[in-house]
Amino acid sequence: MSVQAATARGVDAPAPDFVEQTYTKVFWRLVPFLMLCYVVAYLDRVNVGFAKLQMSQELGFSETVYGLGAGLFFIGYFLFEVPSNVILHRVGARVWIARIMITWGIISAGFMFVNSATSFYIMRFLLGLAEAGFYPGVILYTTQWFPAHRRARVIAVFMSAIPVSGIFGNPLSGWIMDSFNGAQGLSGWQWMFLIEAVPAVLVGLAVFFYLDNRPSEAKWLDAAEKQVIERDIAADGAGKEASPHSIATVFRNGRIWFMSLIYFAFVTGQYGLTFWMPTIVKASGIQGNLNIGLVSAIPFLFAVFVMILLGRSADRMRERRWHLIVPALCGAVGFVVAASTGSTVVAIAALAVAAGGVLTCAPLFWSLPTAFLSGAGAAAGIALINSVGNLAGFASPYVIGALRDSTGSTAAGMYALAVMLVIGAVCVFVTPKHVVNR
């Protein structure tokens, strides 16, 4: 379509069909690639859950040691999250996301040399430092390409990388550990860390050549298409009167800290599920690393459809709160049933409900803070919310590990996850709808 056709209704009112074509073009150019980046990121972040099945036995790790090591990732993540996102805001996503991915790929491969609890702790901490800024950086990046009323679907598709990484990554991890165990004198878990680190470096190099920092730099958009996006983003920013306008005011903004509490509750459920899924499935009676991986993929497959369905619904209805409350409560019910049943089939079905609930909460949550944050305040605010919320990634696996050591069961930990999801749902309910329903 020509520039003249696109602007036939006036510069400020392009034809609706042209607007939809423009955003469809942007979506297919950016979102699948960003999703690929996150699949690689999440696989390297949580494959330690599969490594645990061999590594803990070989190195003599208790459940508490594993839980602490898994969680230490998020301490490094917390410390460097805000600085990393501010740097990305200044230098651009293309350079900084490439740097993040290449760095974490190298560190992830280094896990093959872990030989003690101390080295495990250090490497998890360093991996968190390396990856800090990637996820909030992508969330910030989407605000430069998509207005608020289109963003829930975009983030939901992007974050479907989490269950996709489980669908493909869990069977892959199990297969690598079974097939390569003992090759060249290395254990299966060592080969898994090495092989699964390679894509991070390769995709990181691709980021540098593929991404554009902003619409004005995109050679694959014509002038009219750039004008559509820039007009919508400008109009979106004009409606954010409540946004803090500097980094300093972000830390004094009560609404941002309240958003951090909500996200903390949801992330508690998310990482409780992803870090302990292989252990929970094994405890249900499934044997063999590959079989555990295949069964673990079932809840993640269900979660993909729920995430995309509710993301589209939230954008279409421009309603955010109940699209968060319902999946959070469903996730809580799923955890309770999975912890209470003695049936393998019922447990897997309940885990599917839990996965659909908790993994849907994360992408839909980001439609709340991005509805009122803009500019430098958005860069710092998104990073602060994400870093504080992701401290749950430290607390959740550690608490579950400690409870499992003390009780001999994962049930108490799963009940705790359910309680946190209910707390998150209540906090969303008391959030004023006029602030977030955009």
Side-chain angles (χ1 to χ4, degrees):
M1 182 177 290
S2 67
V3 173
Q4 289 78 13
T7 57
R9 298 175 58 190
V11 172
D12 294 327
D17 287 348
F18 182 76
V19 173
E20 291 303 317
Q21 289 175 7
T22 298
Y23 282 110
T24 299
K25 183 177 182 179
V26 174
F27 179 92
W28 287 108
R29 168 76 184 193
L30 297 180
V31 178
F33 182 75
L34 293 172
M35 181 180 170
L36 171 64
C37 293
Y38 200 35
V39 167
V40 173
Y42 211 80
L43 180 61
D44 285 343
R45 182 186 300 185
V46 304
N47 59 7
V48 69
F50 249 93
K52 170 184 178 292
L53 300 178
Q54 284 183 349
M55 182 174 66
S56 288
Q57 183 175 2
E58 287 187 15
L59 302 181
F61 291 173
S62 68
E63 302 292 337
T64 304
V65 167
Y66 164 72
L68 177 60
L72 277 171
F73 169 95
F74 296 95
I75 301 300
Y77 198 78
F78 172 80
L79 292 174
F80 199 51
E81 189 83 323
V82 174
S84 181
N85 220 35
V86 171
I87 293 172
L88 183 146
H89 181 64
R90 293 175 178 172
V91 307
R94 184 172 66 92
V95 170
W96 199 243
I97 291 178
R99 192 284 304 164
I100 289 172
M101 295 192 68
I102 293 170
T103 305
W104 96 53
I106 294 171
I107 293 174
S108 186
F111 272 81
M112 65 183 294
F113 301 110
V114 167
N115 57 13
S116 66
T118 300
S119 59
F120 180 50
Y121 295 157
I122 292 171
M123 292 300 291
R124 287 294 293 177
F125 178 79
L126 292 177
L127 186 65
L129 282 180
E131 194 178 320
F134 172 78
Y135 176 75
V138 172
I139 299 299
L140 177 65
Y141 187 64
T142 64
T143 68
Q144 298 166 350
W145 292 85
F146 298 94
H149 67 276
R150 296 179 180 272
R151 210 172 293 143
R153 172 175 172 256
V154 169
I155 297 175
V157 173
F158 165 66
M159 289 196 66
S160 65
I162 296 177
V164 167
S165 71
I167 293 169
F168 295 103
N170 283 353
L172 174 64
S173 297
W175 176 77
I176 291 172
M177 288 171 59
D178 282 343
S179 301
F180 287 80
N181 192 36
Q184 304 298 315
L186 298 176
S187 298
W189 62 269
Q190 292 174 302
W191 279 109
M192 184 200 68
F193 280 125
L194 177 62
I195 293 171
E196 292 183 356
V198 173
V201 177
L202 297 179
V203 176
L205 292 171
V207 165
F208 184 79
F209 297 99
Y210 188 82
L211 286 188
D212 297 289
N213 289 326
R214 55 187 61 88
S216 61
E217 299 177 6
K219 295 180 180 179
W220 44 275
L221 292 174
D222 63 32
E225 291 167 335
K226 293 177 183 178
Q227 186 180 66
V228 165
I229 298 170
E230 290 168 353
R231 178 207 61 171
D232 287 350
I233 298 301
D236 206 35
K240 297 179 179 179
E241 297 87 353
S243 176
H245 298 293
S246 70
I247 296 172
T249 56
V250 162
F251 289 88
R252 299 193 299 268
N253 189 284
R255 183 176 289 163
I256 289 177
W257 287 106
F258 188 67
M259 291 289 117
S260 299
L261 172 61
I262 297 173
Y263 197 49
F264 184 94
F266 293 156
V267 171
T268 298
Q270 176 183 323
Y271 284 114
L273 178 78
T274 54
F275 278 128
W276 288 94
M277 177 73 84
T279 301
I280 295 170
V281 171
K282 184 176 181 179
S284 72
I286 305 299
Q287 299 297 318
N289 292 322
L290 179 58
N291 291 334
I292 292 171
L294 292 170
V295 173
S296 297
I298 295 172
F300 291 115
L301 182 63
F302 177 74
V304 170
F305 293 103
V306 176
M307 290 172 72
I308 295 176
L309 178 65
L310 288 184
R312 293 174 64 92
S313 175
D315 275 350
R316 185 177 66 252
M317 298 176 66
R318 298 202 181 188
E319 196 288 321
R320 310 300 176 183
R321 296 191 309 157
W322 287 104
H323 281 81
L324 267 170
I325 293 169
V326 172
L329 295 178
C330 288
V333 171
F335 279 128
V336 170
V337 173
S340 305
T341 184
S343 166
T344 299
V345 174
V346 174
I348 299 304
L351 285 174
V353 173
V358 299
L359 296 180
T360 296
C361 285
L364 294 187
F365 163 80
W366 286 107
S367 61
L368 272 61
T370 57
F372 62 85
L373 289 169
S374 63
I382 291 170
L384 178 62
I385 292 168
N386 191 61
S387 60
V388 173
N390 270 284
L391 285 177
F394 169 75
S396 182
Y398 177 69
V399 169
I400 293 176
L403 288 171
R404 195 167 188 267
D405 272 339
S406 62
T407 66
S409 169
T410 57
M414 296 175 74
Y415 293 143
L417 297 180
V419 170
M420 289 302 298
L421 290 172
V422 172
I423 291 173
V426 171
C427 290
V428 172
F429 180 75
V430 301
T431 301
K433 63 181 180 180
H434 71 273
V435 174
V436 296
N437 283 350
R438 301 183 60 192

